[in-house]
Amino acid sequence: MKILHINSYYAKSYFYKNLFEEQLQKSLEIKVYIPVSNKFLNNNFDYGKYAKLSHCYKDWERIVFPFKHNKILKDINKKFDCRNFDVYHAHSWFSNGYIAYKLNEKYKIPYIVAIRNTDINVFYKYMICLHNLGYKILNNASKIIFISPAYKSRVLNELLPRNITERIYDKCVIIPNGVNHFWIENQYSKKNLPLSSNIKILYVGNIDKNKNLLTTCKAIELLLKDGVEVEYTVVGKVKNFKIYQELLSKNYVNYLGEKSNRELLNIYRENNIFIMPSKTETFGLVYVEAISQGLPVIYSKGEGFDGWFRDGEVGYGIHCQDYIGLYERIKNIMLDNIIIVPNSVKQFSWKVINEKYMCIYNEILSGVCR
């Protein structure tokens, strides 16, 4: 079976390599096309011999959808014999999905398309002129992949016109992003005893506006007024220096910089709760990492991780700006004894996820898919 992955996000989201390596182990013949702008800086990451990173459009052309994507379409046809594949796998709805849609139009090869955070919160929200094109991409796809139950519900029930939802409903599938196998191999279960006077809160990820760390700080300051001792450990890369400086001004914040997975293992285990109230989030693999180490989590309602567990099972969802709600949920976790069930993250292993994709590819080629 020959699969052409169209994945512009692989340029920076290196976790996709886990999926591609799994597919190689299953003897799939894969190629991965990664279109980037002329200003994208090459790095030392090994994308794999099956991948082609292509600087195929000018940076300013990103703001003009037809310019950028018609250049990408010409380029992919130069780089590959696009007739020589069984399935196209587009890893986003608009950018990558448009390319798969146009290739399907020309070569009649089926495609699947994933819907991501950027598709919903940028393309669909602000580029109304692309709505009709977006509907065509979904109508012609053999399968539509949602990263989470929350995103499926939001798109089908709130964003799309009812007639479009009715047409595509039966071909919608929920498949999460996977976590590095390191976290599956090193799962850790611990008893989170009720905490009344102190708590260790952890965040792992980029320091930027989207991750909403200052909302967590507001909730922490309510805890401090209650007489609770709080240590807030922050791990990750600084993307917004102003937020970073504000964090450092707070005496309860402990910033550790960037850490390797091996170093993070102990950091997760030393803390009591993981909090990331992102404004938008395609998935949020760090939630899964935290759960794998026995930490309850607090995540954003309506975003990527929401819906994978029942409320209270591994933690709670909150509205991202609701610091009072966040404060109350922290108190809930402090008083409750949330025990993370071993293997609760197994569904997020790339092996399991690839098996789901294999089933989809086989369904498409056997003519089962509509």
Side-chain angles (χ1 to χ4, degrees):
M1 191 185 304
K2 296 180 179 180
I3 310 296
L4 175 59
H5 290 274
I6 307 167
N7 191 345
S8 56
Y9 294 91
Y10 186 32
K12 294 181 180 179
S13 299
Y14 303 145
F15 65 83
Y16 284 108
K17 188 172 184 178
N18 296 282
L19 172 62
F20 302 143
E21 295 294 330
E22 281 288 340
Q23 295 196 340
L24 287 178
Q25 290 183 28
K26 293 293 183 180
S27 299
L28 285 181
E29 292 183 49
I30 67 168
K31 295 293 182 182
V32 182
Y33 176 65
I34 317 164
V36 295
S37 81
N38 61 335
K39 289 190 176 180
F40 181 81
L41 297 177
N42 290 337
N43 50 49
N44 294 322
F45 182 73
D46 177 13
Y47 291 99
K49 293 181 179 179
Y50 45 80
K52 179 64 180 177
L53 185 75
S54 182
H55 297 77
C56 59
Y57 60 90
K58 295 177 181 178
D59 197 56
W60 68 265
E61 291 172 330
R62 296 171 63 181
I63 63 173
V64 185
F65 191 93
F67 284 4
K68 172 186 171 183
H69 291 85
N70 287 332
K71 279 198 168 184
I72 293 173
L73 188 59
K74 289 179 182 177
D75 186 65
I76 195 172
N77 276 296
K78 288 179 181 177
K79 298 294 191 299
F80 302 99
D81 181 356
C82 294
R83 299 166 298 180
N84 194 32
F85 292 93
D86 297 305
V87 178
Y88 304 135
H89 186 152
H91 288 263
S92 70
W93 176 9
F94 285 93
S95 288
N96 301 159
Y98 173 78
I99 304 305
Y101 166 71
K102 296 303 287 184
L103 291 175
N104 166 264
E105 197 173 56
K106 185 173 183 179
Y107 301 117
K108 310 305 178 188
I109 291 170
Y111 67 92
I112 68 174
V113 61
I115 294 183
R116 297 171 50 94
N117 161 42
T118 308
D119 292 315
I120 297 172
N121 293 307
V122 177
F123 283 101
Y124 195 86
K125 185 175 182 178
Y126 297 110
M127 301 182 184
I128 297 172
C129 60
L130 295 180
H131 283 190
N132 285 334
L133 174 60
Y135 304 150
K136 290 178 182 177
I137 293 168
L138 298 182
N139 281 332
N140 286 279
S142 294
K143 286 288 185 182
I144 300 163
I145 312 299
F146 289 92
I147 308 301
S148 74
Y151 270 18
K152 179 183 176 184
S153 175
R154 186 172 163 193
V155 170
L156 298 185
N157 298 327
E158 299 176 25
L159 300 186
L160 297 181
R162 186 172 179 178
N163 65 315
I164 302 297
T165 295
E166 289 173 349
R167 279 185 222 160
I168 70 171
Y169 188 85
D170 289 340
K171 55 186 180 182
C172 293
V173 181
I174 302 170
I175 302 179
N177 286 333
V179 71
N180 190 295
H181 194 64
F182 174 86
W183 301 104
I184 306 293
E185 288 181 327
N186 290 283
Q187 288 184 72
Y188 179 75
S189 181
K190 65 179 181 179
K191 194 172 183 181
N192 296 292
L193 294 174
L195 303 163
S196 59
S197 61
N198 62 78
I199 187 168
K200 292 182 177 181
I201 295 172
L202 177 64
Y203 166 80
V204 177
N206 288 333
I207 298 172
D208 60 26
K209 286 184 178 180
N210 183 56
K211 301 301 183 180
N212 213 13
L213 282 79
L214 298 181
T215 291
T216 302
C217 290
K218 288 180 181 179
I220 288 172
E221 281 154 17
L222 292 178
L223 292 169
L224 293 172
K225 287 180 181 179
D226 288 346
V228 178
E229 293 181 17
V230 182
E231 182 179 332
Y232 184 26
T233 297
V234 175
V235 179
K237 187 174 184 178
V238 177
K239 292 292 187 78
N240 186 305
F241 194 70
K242 184 177 178 181
I243 293 173
Y244 168 69
Q245 286 183 310
E246 191 164 347
L247 286 171
L248 291 188
S249 72
K250 302 179 185 300
N251 58 14
Y252 53 81
V253 172
N254 178 27
Y255 175 64
L256 301 183
E258 297 180 72
K259 297 294 178 181
S260 67
N261 281 348
R262 181 60 62 181
E263 292 170 312
L264 278 173
L265 200 66
N266 290 327
I267 293 170
Y268 278 122
R269 293 176 183 182
E270 290 166 358
N271 283 273
N272 305 122
I273 179 174
F274 179 88
I275 299 175
M276 188 171 76
S278 302
K279 295 175 182 176
T280 64
E281 194 73 61
T282 294
F283 185 68
L285 291 174
V286 282
Y287 298 123
V288 182
E289 293 178 9
I291 292 167
S292 78
Q293 300 310 302
L295 265 70
V297 297
I298 295 180
Y299 47 90
S300 299
K301 282 186 177 179
E303 292 301 322
F305 190 72
D306 189 21
W308 282 107
F309 296 92
R310 297 186 307 274
D311 218 30
E313 186 177 357
V314 298
Y316 298 98
I318 61 153
H319 295 291
C320 66
Q321 300 285 11
D322 182 10
Y323 69 92
I324 294 176
L326 175 54
Y327 156 75
E328 291 171 346
R329 287 312 193 185
I330 294 171
K331 288 177 70 176
N332 288 150
I333 291 175
M334 288 177 69
L335 296 173
D336 295 341
N337 185 14
I338 295 179
I339 299 176
I340 309 299
V341 177
N343 287 326
S344 59
V345 299
K346 187 177 180 181
Q347 63 185 314
F348 304 112
S349 81
W350 283 109
K351 183 176 181 181
V352 170
I353 289 165
N354 184 51
E355 287 171 357
K356 293 180 179 180
Y357 281 122
M358 292 286 290
C359 288
I360 288 173
Y361 299 152
N362 285 319
E363 281 181 16
I364 291 171
L365 295 182
S366 66
V368 173
C369 292
R370 299 183 180 186

